[in-house]
């Protein structure tokens, strides 16, 4: 798609106050594919004022009509699915088939789920002699990352619209074209002017201005834990609500009774998906000592198949960051069994699919989020040891458990300090709440729990 040179504010594309621009680069070939405005605080203020003005009308719109707009949005996304996939591939580098299935497919499913939920959600309930009324929290500042550019937008915007909130979106500067395409879809779906607004720009400028703006009632942020802390502190000073979906270092626990080959192969695929740029990726594989050597061999063999099947990481900085972690893993004594720090191609921000064996729990690669195609395999002695290692990071976003008996896997999963656990390769569910424990965040996305993040509660006593 052709990049817009303005901001989508109050139902139209308007010139930005800022005159600086951001280059959009294809990470696969390092070619510039477009430019978008690098917004400033005035651009944010204009967008927030538009959202504020539109709030009373949209909040008073019947839920059935809000549901109809969301259904229309879903239909536009379906009609433009190929364009969405091509745009994500161009600015993120994701292979086209993956973009079609995941980057375009998942947001369509989520938008559809909120179209249905908006029409059926109990915005009022009778509790004794009271009526409990759930109403929109107000203006939402949504700040989204680059790794799943459309999914993360829809996961915030769709429930906010369903709740009756108005929104100002600040997308990641690496993937703004997908956000502009989404703004076109919102317009085509007939969402009233001012209800959704888009401001592109850099995080420390535009994102900070949005988080600090007194006209924003809730900040919904997905990204690093470090930035999440700053946003939380900013919002806390203003007693402003936040929803934070942050980092992860998820454990994939393979119990001795599991189908080892299947668990390892699916685990490797999970880490390599989206070039490892997934906050919930199972980047720590925990294997019983008696099966460890076999698991390492299987993982190395599986990883070798992904050499020409995954795309690049998003930019040069991320490439250097991931390669730096690989160097650190080697320096701290882990054993490379696949991949390594050398760039596999001369052009593009590619990283080799990498697997480390002999990883111990105190190593940097076992504790910190790498956000690249890097798997660490750790050895455990018994189930209690596996649980201790699985819970032994500051994160708690996701995880997986494999066992021959499902009940055995579920019993282990219930003891994990994490917000979501896949049992024997469980499938993605757009209605299930997603979010973390500990430093992986505050709040939940998706389904009814995701909608509740954008509501506040009023009790009427009779």
């Amino acid at each position: 798609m052709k990049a817009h040179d303005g901001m989508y504010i109050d139902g139209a594309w308007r010139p930005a106050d800022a005159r600086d621009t951001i280059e959009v680069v294809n990470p696969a070939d390092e070619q510039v594919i477009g430019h978008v405005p690098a917004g400033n605080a005035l651009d944010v203020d204009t967008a927030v004022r538009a959202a504020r003005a539109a709030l009373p009308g949209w909040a008073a719109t019947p839920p059935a009509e809000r549901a109809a707009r969301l259904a229309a949005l879903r239909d536009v996304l379906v009609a433009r699915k190929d364009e969405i996939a091509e745009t994500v591939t161009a600015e993120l580098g994701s292979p086209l088939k993956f973009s079609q299935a995941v980057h375009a497919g998942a947001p369509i499913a989520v938008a559809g789920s909120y179209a249905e939920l908006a029409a059926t959600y109990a915005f009022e309930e009778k509790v004794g002699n009271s009526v409990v009324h759930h109403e929109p929290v107000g203006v939402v500042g949504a700040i989204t990352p680059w790794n799943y550019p459309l999914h993360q937008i829809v996961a915030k915007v769709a429930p906010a619209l369903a709740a009756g909130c108005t929104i100002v979106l600040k997308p990641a500067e690496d993937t703004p074209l997908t956000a502009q395409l989404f703004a076109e879809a919102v317009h085509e779906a007939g969402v009233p002017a001012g209800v959704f607004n888009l401001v592109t720009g850099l995080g420390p400028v535009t994102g900070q201005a949005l988080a600090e703006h007194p006209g924003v009632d809730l900040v919904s942020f997905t990204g690093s834990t470090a930035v999440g802390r700053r946003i939380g502190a900013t919002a806390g000073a203003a007693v402003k609500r936040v929803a934070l979906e942050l980092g992860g270092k998820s454990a994939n626990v393979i119990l001795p009774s599991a189908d080892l080959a299947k668990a390892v192969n699916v685990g490797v695929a999970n880490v390599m998906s989206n070039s490892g740029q997934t906050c919930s990726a199972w980047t720590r594989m925990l294997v019983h000592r008696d099966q460890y050597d076999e698991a390492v061999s299987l993982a190395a063999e599986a990883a070798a198949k992904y050499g020409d099947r995954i795309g690049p990481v998003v930019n040069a900085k991320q490439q250097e960051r991931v390669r730096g972690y690989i160097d650190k893993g080697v320096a701290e004594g882990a054993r490379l069994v696949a991949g390594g720090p050398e760039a596999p191609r001369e052009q593009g921000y590619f990283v080799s699919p990498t697997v480390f064996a002999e990883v111990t729990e105190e190593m940097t690669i076992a504790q910190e989020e790498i956000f690249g195609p890097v798997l660490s395999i750790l050895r455990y002695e018994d189930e209690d040891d596996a649980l201790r290692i699985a819970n032994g990071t500051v994160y708690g976003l996701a995880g997986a458990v494999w066992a021959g008996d499902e009940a055995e896997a579920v019993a282990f999963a219930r003891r994990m300090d994490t917000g979501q656990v896949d049992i024997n390769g469980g499938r993605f569910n757009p209605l299930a709440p997603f979010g973390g424990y500990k430093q992986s965040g505050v709040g939940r996305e998706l389904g009814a729990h995701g909608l509740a993040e954008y509501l506040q509660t009023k009790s009427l006593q009779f």
Side-chain angles (χ1 to χ4, degrees):
M1 66 170 290
K2 184 180 182 295
H4 290 275
D5 58 5
M7 310 293 193
Y8 183 77
I9 296 176
D10 203 19
W13 292 98
R14 302 175 184 276
D17 177 75
R19 292 296 173 259
D20 293 335
T21 61
I22 298 169
E23 283 188 347
V24 185
V25 177
N26 184 327
D29 60 16
E30 303 178 46
Q31 299 300 304
V32 176
I33 58 174
H35 296 79
V36 299
N40 59 24
L42 183 57
D43 291 312
V44 170
D45 183 66
T46 303
V48 172
R49 289 178 182 276
R52 197 93 234 159
L55 179 62
W58 184 246
T61 300
E65 175 57 24
R66 300 201 296 259
R69 291 307 98 216
L70 282 164
L73 176 59
R74 174 205 56 208
D75 292 345
V76 175
L77 296 178
V78 169
R80 302 185 70 171
K81 183 176 181 179
D82 290 343
E83 185 182 0
I84 291 168
E86 291 165 2
T87 302
V88 173
T89 291
E91 61 182 356
L92 182 62
S94 172
L96 185 58
K97 286 186 178 180
F98 188 81
S99 292
Q100 291 169 333
V102 177
H103 288 296
I108 290 169
V110 172
S113 74
Y114 279 111
E116 296 179 8
L117 194 56
T120 59
Y121 192 83
F123 288 97
E124 282 195 351
E125 56 185 321
K126 188 77 165 60
V127 180
N129 64 303
S130 303
V131 171
V132 179
H133 179 63
H134 303 285
E135 60 188 34
V137 70
V139 174
V140 174
I143 304 173
T144 57
W146 44 261
N147 59 325
Y148 289 91
L150 185 59
H151 171 69
Q152 296 288 358
I153 289 172
V154 172
K156 297 181 187 304
V157 173
L161 291 177
C165 296
T166 56
I167 309 106
V168 177
L169 169 67
K170 203 299 283 186
E173 50 263 37
D174 291 289
T175 53
L177 302 184
T178 300
Q180 289 189 342
L181 194 158
F182 178 76
E184 293 177 359
V186 168
H187 189 86
E188 189 175 341
V191 175
V195 171
F196 170 84
N197 307 273
L198 170 68
V199 178
T200 54
L202 301 176
V205 178
T206 315
Q208 183 172 337
L210 185 59
E212 293 177 346
H213 200 290
V216 171
D217 301 295
L218 180 150
V219 181
S220 180
F221 169 78
T222 298
S224 73
T225 297
V227 176
R229 289 192 194 102
R230 292 198 294 272
I231 289 175
T234 297
V239 197
K240 183 183 300 186
R241 283 176 54 177
V242 295
L244 304 173
E245 198 266 278
L246 308 175
K249 194 68 183 176
S250 302
N252 179 19
V253 181
I254 304 175
L255 297 177
S257 64
D259 180 334
L260 183 65
K262 181 178 180 181
V264 170
N265 282 317
V266 174
V268 171
N270 176 278
V271 173
M272 302 307 161
S273 176
N274 209 41
S275 302
Q277 299 169 130
T278 303
C279 54
S280 58
W282 311 332
T283 52
R284 295 180 298 145
M285 182 180 289
L286 277 55
V287 185
H288 188 271
R289 62 182 181 182
D290 294 340
Q291 298 174 315
Y292 188 82
D293 290 343
E294 183 182 358
V296 168
S297 178
L298 288 167
E301 182 180 348
K305 300 175 183 177
Y306 286 89
D308 58 356
R309 289 166 54 183
I310 65 173
V313 294
V314 71
N315 55 35
K317 181 180 178 181
Q318 185 67 14
Q319 182 190 45
E320 286 306 304
R321 180 178 188 271
V322 175
R323 291 168 66 183
Y325 272 109
I326 296 173
D327 284 334
K328 187 167 288 189
V330 173
E332 292 183 359
R335 177 166 61 91
L336 271 174
V337 297
E342 297 79 15
R345 306 186 194 184
E346 291 185 3
Q347 188 178 46
Y349 309 126
F350 291 88
V351 177
S352 295
T354 298
V355 177
F356 278 106
E358 306 307 329
V359 179
T360 55
E361 58 191 292
E362 74 278 359
M363 290 182 179
T364 303
I365 59 172
Q367 289 293 323
E368 296 184 11
E369 184 175 47
I370 298 172
F371 229 59
V374 181
L375 170 65
S376 297
I377 308 180
L378 293 86
R379 181 187 286 107
Y380 68 83
E381 297 293 318
D382 54 30
E383 282 197 19
D384 287 341
D385 191 39
L387 183 70
R388 181 184 60 78
I389 295 170
N391 290 340
T393 76
V394 298
Y395 298 111
L397 185 57
V401 183
W402 299 80
D405 176 37
E406 184 177 286
E408 180 187 6
V410 170
F412 189 96
R414 291 184 186 280
R415 300 165 67 196
M416 294 175 72
D417 296 334
T418 190
Q420 187 174 82
V421 185
D422 291 348
I423 305 298
N424 289 336
R427 294 178 293 109
F428 170 71
N429 179 3
L431 299 178
F434 178 76
Y437 287 20
K438 300 187 284 188
Q439 292 188 28
S440 284
V442 177
R444 291 295 181 269
E445 292 186 330
L446 305 181
H449 292 81
L451 175 57
E453 293 292 332
Y454 298 92
L455 295 170
Q456 54 190 353
T457 303
K458 179 183 294 178
S459 297
L460 308 177
Q461 274 64 252
F462 295 89

